[in-house]
Amino acid sequence: MKNRYPIIRTLIILWMSVVIVGAFLMDIPRMSILEHTARNLYFHVPMWFTMMAGMTVSVVYAVRNLLQPNLDFDGRSAAAARVAMLFGLLGLITGIIWAKVTWYQGTNVWWNFDPRQTFAAVCLLIYGAYFMLRRQLEDPEQRGRISAVYNVFAFTTMPFLLYVLPRQVQSLHPGADGNPAFSDITDPRMRLIFYPAVIGFIAIFWLLYNQRVRLQRVGRRVGQDR
Amino acid sequence: MRHEIPLIWHPVPQDATADSQAVSDAQTAYDSVWADTSMPVQQSTGLEAQLLKEDKLYAVLAVVLIIWLGIVFFLLRTDRRIDRLERRVDTQNSDS
């Protein structure tokens, strides 16, 4: 496993480099308002996919930790949540910028409490509390158990906040009523980059997650408990 | 003929003339300062010409690629540091 890591890492870096170049060079349909910002599809949307994937990894290890208490499971759960949170924050920020030049073009508005954005922000706040909770608990085993329970709660809110609720209300964001998100109307040329971009960003998540897990292991061996 | 580029070929903001304030609302205040500036007219060549294509999209690609390479550099460096730490902890544990 260990000696295969550099090969996998190189493949991920090459893959992502090709995706970035393709995202800029591939021809896309020019739509009014969107223009070249449609290329944000390759970067902004995978942020949320990656966050969901990362939080899934996190909750799996949280549940495993509850079933069979283990500091390594807890560490993995926390590391995955941390890196997933980074992608969520990047998704929110890139969304704000994208909205500024499309939905709010010509106004001075950056944030107008669009339901989709608001629910996404609430989701990040719920996960923010997870890290606050972890900091307050001194005993590693207690920290592992309590934060795992909270993790399960936070994870169950995510599909509702990111998927169900935004589709129940009117929103400027694609994916609301009468405004399909990524669907069969999306130009097939864009799928050619979009799907590899999702895979690539999840792979980058894995690289960062892996680093944190390794650091924790070394830390535990020298007697550092967080 | 070689185009002569003065040291400062754009008007500095204080020098913005009165007629530049009459520019239409479609232009921002920033534009009004720069709108009547004459640009060097020589043809872009080589790398610059490439970067300017497609509404200067390739310039953005260059920026993003540089950022990406910077991140990759950091990623690899952190991996190396973790490798070193792991080796050091391994040898310390086998010593004691």
Side-chain angles (χ1 to χ4, degrees):
Chain A
M1 176 60 213
K2 204 147 216 173
N3 41 17
R4 258 192 318 183
Y5 174 78
I7 301 166
I8 297 169
R9 187 181 58 192
T10 309
L11 286 177
I12 291 170
I13 291 166
L14 286 177
W15 176 281
M16 208 51 222
S17 305
V18 171
V19 166
I20 290 172
V21 172
F24 279 87
L25 299 191
M26 287 277 288
D27 193 32
I28 59 164
R30 300 294 180 82
M31 294 159 83
S32 83
I33 303 176
L34 270 182
E35 312 284 354
H36 271 310
T37 71
R39 295 180 194 274
N40 273 351
L41 171 80
Y42 306 138
F43 303 107
H44 166 76
V45 183
M47 292 297 115
W48 296 103
F49 280 43
T50 307
M51 180 198 170
M52 286 186 253
M55 291 308 184
T56 307
V57 173
S58 180
V59 80
V60 164
Y61 280 110
V63 170
R64 287 184 72 180
N65 185 44
L66 286 173
L67 297 175
Q68 187 188 36
N70 180 327
L71 282 182
D72 190 53
F73 289 161
D74 179 53
R76 282 174 174 272
S77 184
R82 260 264 174 216
V83 182
M85 187 74 178
L86 168 73
F87 281 93
L89 285 170
L90 291 175
L92 193 71
I93 293 165
T94 52
I96 289 170
I97 294 169
W98 198 358
K100 176 76 190 105
V101 297
T102 50
W103 305 346
Y104 307 137
Q105 185 184 349
T107 66
N108 271 325
V109 176
W110 284 88
W111 179 270
N112 195 31
F113 286 96
D114 184 86
R116 168 75 74 146
Q117 286 186 311
T118 310
F119 286 132
V122 169
C123 183
L124 294 183
L125 287 172
I126 289 176
Y127 270 107
Y130 171 76
F131 303 108
M132 298 299 216
L133 177 69
R134 290 188 70 85
R135 293 191 73 143
Q136 300 311 315
L137 298 167
E138 291 295 332
D139 177 48
E141 267 146 48
Q142 189 194 38
R143 181 168 63 225
R145 262 181 286 121
I146 294 177
S147 58
V149 173
Y150 183 83
N151 195 321
V152 173
F153 158 74
F155 185 76
T156 50
T157 68
M158 190 171 67
F160 294 97
L161 290 168
L162 295 186
Y163 194 84
V164 180
L165 289 176
R167 280 159 204 265
Q168 308 295 314
V169 290
Q170 284 202 318
S171 166
L172 287 167
H173 193 287
D177 195 26
N179 184 3
F182 197 75
S183 66
D184 38 304
I185 63 159
T186 306
D187 192 273
R189 282 172 292 176
M190 298 194 76
R191 289 161 192 272
L192 223 57
I193 299 292
F194 175 73
Y195 293 129
V198 171
I199 295 167
F201 277 113
I202 291 176
I204 291 172
F205 160 84
W206 181 78
L207 285 178
L208 296 172
Y209 161 72
N210 196 288
Q211 284 188 335
R212 295 187 81 90
V213 170
R214 284 171 67 197
L215 268 178
Q216 278 174 356
R217 277 199 194 136
V218 176
R220 264 201 304 279
R221 284 168 67 185
V222 297
Q224 201 179 44
D225 69 350
R226 66 165 93 212
Chain B
M1 187 194 87
R2 196 175 163 277
H3 190 90
E4 285 294 322
I5 303 172
L7 199 58
I8 299 174
W9 50 266
H10 53 79
V12 289
Q14 300 97 292
D15 294 348
T17 48
D19 61 53
S20 70
Q21 281 157 14
V23 186
S24 78
D25 292 343
Q27 287 172 320
T28 65
Y30 191 74
D31 277 340
S32 69
V33 175
W34 295 77
D36 46 4
T37 306
S38 62
M39 294 282 286
V41 285
Q42 70 200 53
Q43 199 68 35
S44 301
T45 52
L47 181 64
E48 191 186 65
Q50 290 300 315
L51 290 174
L52 294 182
K53 277 185 192 165
E54 281 282 328
D55 297 343
K56 304 188 181 175
L57 183 62
Y58 299 141
V60 185
L61 174 59
V63 167
V64 172
L65 276 181
I66 288 168
I67 293 173
W68 168 236
L69 289 179
I71 292 171
V72 166
F73 171 73
F74 244 74
L75 194 82
L76 298 180
R77 234 172 71 118
T78 308
D79 266 344
R80 251 208 326 271
R81 283 191 177 183
I82 298 171
D83 281 339
R84 233 180 288 147
L85 264 178
E86 281 174 344
R87 270 200 303 274
R88 195 153 73 185
V89 172
D90 277 342
T91 50
Q92 269 174 4
N93 282 13
S94 57
D95 286 349
S96 54

